[in-house]
Amino acid sequence: MSGYNALARILKFARNQAGMTQEQLAARINVSSSLIAKFETSRLIPKPDTARQLDALFDSGHMFQELAAEARASFGQPVWVRSWLEHERNATMIRSFQPLIVPGLLQTEEYARAILTDGGNRVTDIESTVAARLARADALHRADTPCRLFAVLDETLLRRPIGGPEVMHEQLQAIIKACAEPNVEVAVVPSSTGTYPGLNGPLVLGTVDGRTVAILDSPLGGQVTEDPDEVALLEELWEAIRGYALPRQESLNLIMEVAESWN
């Protein structure tokens, strides 16, 4: 069940169990009944304050807040992406290779906005989609078990002027800051590298509940796989790509050097 449908169905169930109409629920949390109708038909996601009011009213802990956060994280995403985002939220480790753009988990607001605005994406609500993309980084900051991120980047993406020099400088500084966290490691394949397996495109592997899932992206859509044989081949591919990357400190030094070039 997607985040949208889960929230809608659970809200409707909770309201009916409490014996309230949509109008009565709306009056209790000081919103319009049309807004409740949109929540219950997956046309709108409650804002954080509204989700907190629902939790207080139904004595549901943080359930509606968590459901709303999950729904926002999936906002505007194709169906095939939503299944991956569910894995990403619960992953204990993410291994990512990106040859073209900064991984979504490390993107800044302005970089994400530039990608979504100028990257040929069919996005109708840019701001909500940007917010959803930024919310994905919550996986790296979980209080109990933050996800470990191992990201391999091609140097060319550090030098691609997405959003302009200021945006690029801020984005690379954000990567440098993230690398100071114990659960984040970024390595860079230098542009002097010739042919290597990463030229086949991006690849992301997630460790979830002791198993590995993978996602491959393309202009026609993505593919999420848990097939053991396919995952094993993709893990070998990721390790091969990682072998072409600079060591951790050399990678960080290169990112810092390129960041200064954007200043």
Side-chain angles (χ1 to χ4, degrees), residues 217-244:
D217 200 356
S218 78
L220 296 178
Q223 175 188 359
V224 177
T225 180
E226 298 183 46
D227 180 89
D229 292 334
E230 293 178 346
V231 166
L233 288 173
L234 293 173
E235 287 185 308
E236 289 181 12
L237 175 60
W238 190 86
E239 291 295 341
I241 293 170
R242 188 181 183 187
Y244 284 87

Side-chain angles (χ1 to χ4, degrees), residues 14 16 21 45 63 68 75 106 120 130 142 156 192 194 210 216 227 259:
N16 286 332
T21 64
I45 302 167
M63 182 181 67
F75 183 89
L106 294 175
V130 167
R142 291 193 298 252
T156 55
S192 58
L216 298 169
D227 180 89

Side-chain angles (χ1 to χ4, degrees), residues 133-150:
R133 181 164 297 188
L134 296 178
R136 292 169 56 188
D138 289 347
L140 301 179
H141 308 291
R142 291 193 298 252
D144 48 356
T145 54
C147 179
R148 298 171 63 196
L149 172 65
F150 295 92

